[in-house]
Amino acid sequence: DRLGGGCRGEVGARGGGGAPGAPGGGGGALYAVAGASIVLGDNTTLAANGAGGEHAQNRWGGSGGGAGGMIVLYAPSITASNATLVANGGGGASGTDSGTGAAGADPDPSTPTMAAAGGPGINGSPSGGAGFVAGTPAVAGGASPGGVASGGGGGGGAGYIVTNIPITGVTTSPTITVGL
């Protein structure tokens, strides 16, 4: 297995003018190894979330949200007390038929089971899709009316959290995979 961050989103479809928004960056990667133990104390948060797509301008499609990254914990003993581990996807940006679209949201580590929202459609433009969270897949962006290149960007996908042994006392999204 390889340690790696999440993939960035894609740039929105080319429109008739203006400029695309930057795609959301992928979440980072963290690999923690200890010879004896890893202790995640009260209110510890480890986050490798993707970012939301940035807003587009004048008839561009929304850029996609970044995928969650990777968190790996490896030790003979791993204990947690009210800890949070998250690798959720960012929200996709809205498309725009004119003017400026809306950016997708970044995931909030303090609400690990709430999806990062897609950018809301403005003046009838398609909304961006929400990012992955807590087993709920990322959502595609809204379709462009009339085949114009201004559809909403899709939300970012799930990251990966893995440990070598089961742990309790932790809220995670996505679910921990045990086994290295």
Side-chain angles (χ1 to χ4, degrees), residues 74-141:
Y74 186 92
S77 169
I78 304 172
T79 58
S81 172
N82 196 29
T84 302
L85 305 177
V86 288
N88 293 322
S94 73
T96 178
D97 290 330
S98 65
T100 301
D106 294 338
D108 182 353
S110 69
T111 55
T113 59
M114 181 178 285
I122 298 172
N123 298 327
S125 296
S127 297
F132 168 91
V133 68
T136 301
V139 177

Side-chain angles (χ1 to χ4, degrees), residues 13-172:
R14 182 179 174 94
L30 169 74
Y31 197 129
V33 178
S37 67
I38 294 174
V39 178
L40 303 173
D42 244 3
N43 300 316
T44 297
T45 299
L46 301 179
N49 291 326
E54 294 297 322
H55 62 73
Q57 306 237 346
N58 195 20
R59 295 184 11 201
W60 274 80
S63 292
M70 180 180 243
I71 298 171
V72 180
L73 304 177
Y74 186 92
S77 169
I78 304 172
T79 58
S81 172
N82 196 29
T84 302
L85 305 177
V86 288
N88 293 322
S94 73
T96 178
D97 290 330
S98 65
T100 301
D106 294 338
D108 182 353
S110 69
T111 55
T113 59
M114 181 178 285
I122 298 172
N123 298 327
S125 296
S127 297
F132 168 91
V133 68
T136 301
V139 177
S144 177
V148 186
S150 63
Y160 189 60
I161 302 172
V162 64
T163 63
N164 62 309
I165 59 174
I167 59 174
T168 60
V170 64
T171 300
T172 67

